[in-house]
Amino acid sequence: MTLRGRRVKGRFIHAPQSGEIEVLDDAVLTLDAEGTITAIGTGEADVVLPEGTLVLPGFVDLHIHAPQYPQLGQALDAPLEVWLGKYTFPLEARYADLDFARPRYETLVKDLISNGTTTALYFATAHLEATKLLADICLAAGQRALVGKVVMDDPNSCPEYYRDASPEVAVAETRALIDYVRGLASDGRVLPVITPRFIPSCTDAALRGLGTLATECGCHVQTHASESDWAHGYALQRYGKTDTEALDGFGLLTRKTVLAHANFLTDPDMDRIAARGGAVAHCPISNMYFANSVFPLRHALEKGVHVGLGTDISGGPIASLWDAARGAVQASRLLEGGVDPKLPADKRGRTNSRIDIATAFHLATAGGGQALDLPVGCFAVGQKFDAMLIDPRVAAGTIRLFSETDPVAIFEKVLYTASRPNIAAVWIDGRRVGGAA
Ligand code: GUN
Ligand code: FE
């Protein structure tokens, strides 16, 4: 049922601030005809959500490669630079065929919504037409989506069968995508993104052209930065600069830039990103396979960097922000405690690194919204009503409550143990777009 134009009563739980859970019990949210929250209060409602259920903000997946969904759970045996050439570029190249692309993109978008992902920041492929198709599919499915045509034009690193014809073509097609997506009747729900894959796949001419375009069009920018030892070392060799410094030099580090992974950021890199207002998409599951290290999440937060969470499908083999949030806590614990039992305890880890599940939940919701500078991720006047209804009692689900009554204790169990059958409904812009019930 649509909640647009209605007053909705229930238990709402969100984390507008990092590390703090707020429970709004018996709250009444008023939505306008576009699905924006216009009031939060108590009293009369048009819709009363079932007893025992709770509403969470929808998740923001801040880094995901839509075309890699067919290899989810496969091809996890090789280091990043091998994985790209051996598995990933051949798969992505097949999206030149729209009949190949369509069912795969449709399945992914539907699955993400069912898992509670209401906003996704997508890398598509290097193909303009298939990238437009992904935007169309997100529009039709009702998902909030930011979609980028991948730029990869450097003949030294990209195979002939899968690369942009030239830097000029890469920039022109990016501009064409921006025009196309901005022309869709989406009320700003589907947005274009400037998407250089990463420095190793792009020529300086392409990076320069995309930086100019970013200034001209003011749209979002996404790329990979300092992900693995190899990727981090590449920019240092080519420029004598880190990825972050080089991207900034090309005009690609803005308030609306999202840097994926970013494991090997230096302290000055973090200061630079914070100064520009840019963000990091932390991808804890993928990092275990490809990043050679754990992202120092807490340090980045303390430095004032915006951070959200990403699945990095298919570098990360799970299409769910629930797992990314759990993984963020687990990875932070490994960084703090250390991993090599041969080392003495005081040399094994990095103190002050752990985060808790409330922080991970904030990053998966409000943190992602802030990273994108979009009004999503928590329940407040002016925010879009992007949310999911959790029913902890569904037998087919995986949450098991016994005698818990404290809402924070219930919330923790929900965060750690929920699965798809527990997601009874999903709304985006107040419109019902999915859910198990
Ligand atoms: N760096 C460049 N391309 C990719 C990609 O597709 N996945 C990941 N994880 N890192 C990348
Ligand atoms: Fe990635």
Side-chain angles (χ1 to χ4, degrees), residues 265-277:
L265 293 183
T266 63
D267 275 5
D269 284 342
M270 289 191 189
D271 292 336
R272 187 182 291 263
I273 296 165
R276 298 277 181 267

Side-chain angles (χ1 to χ4, degrees), residues 63-65 68 80 83 123 197 223-224 227 260-261 283 286 311-316:
H63 182 60
I64 169 166
H65 297 265
Q68 296 174 17
L80 178 64
W83 174 83
F123 275 61
R197 183 170 205 119
T223 189
H224 297 86
E227 175 177 359
H261 306 282
C283 306
S286 170
T311 56
D312 191 35
I313 286 171
S314 66

Side-chain angles (χ1 to χ4, degrees), residues 408-419:
V408 175
I410 294 171
F411 165 81
E412 285 185 346
K413 273 201 158 179
V414 165
L415 252 280
Y416 269 115
T417 65
S419 55

Side-chain angles (χ1 to χ4, degrees), residues 18 32 43 80 96 108 162 165 201 269 290 309 325 354 394 407:
S18 187
D32 69 12
L80 178 64
L108 171 66
Y162 186 47
S201 69
D269 284 342
F290 294 106
L309 299 181
R354 68 163 69 183
V394 178

Side-chain angles (χ1 to χ4, degrees), residues 330-341 343-354:
Q330 291 155 355
S332 78
R333 297 290 283 263
L334 292 178
L335 183 60
E336 181 157 307
V339 294
D340 185 351
L343 295 174
D346 63 343
K347 298 247 158 45
R348 205 180 295 140
R350 183 159 161 179
T351 52
N352 239 351
S353 292
R354 68 163 69 183

Side-chain angles (χ1 to χ4, degrees), residues 282-315:
H282 174 37
C283 306
I285 311 278
S286 170
N287 288 348
M288 288 192 254
Y289 293 94
F290 294 106
N292 313 119
S293 68
V294 172
F295 173 64
L297 168 59
R298 182 148 159 201
H299 184 56
L301 292 173
E302 285 168 1
K303 282 272 192 193
V305 175
H306 292 138
V307 182
L309 299 181
T311 56
D312 191 35
I313 286 171
S314 66

Side-chain angles (χ1 to χ4, degrees), residues 170-180 213 216:
V171 174
E173 291 195 347
T174 299
R175 189 187 289 272
L177 179 79
I178 293 167
D179 291 343
Y180 178 79
L213 192 55
E216 266 176 46

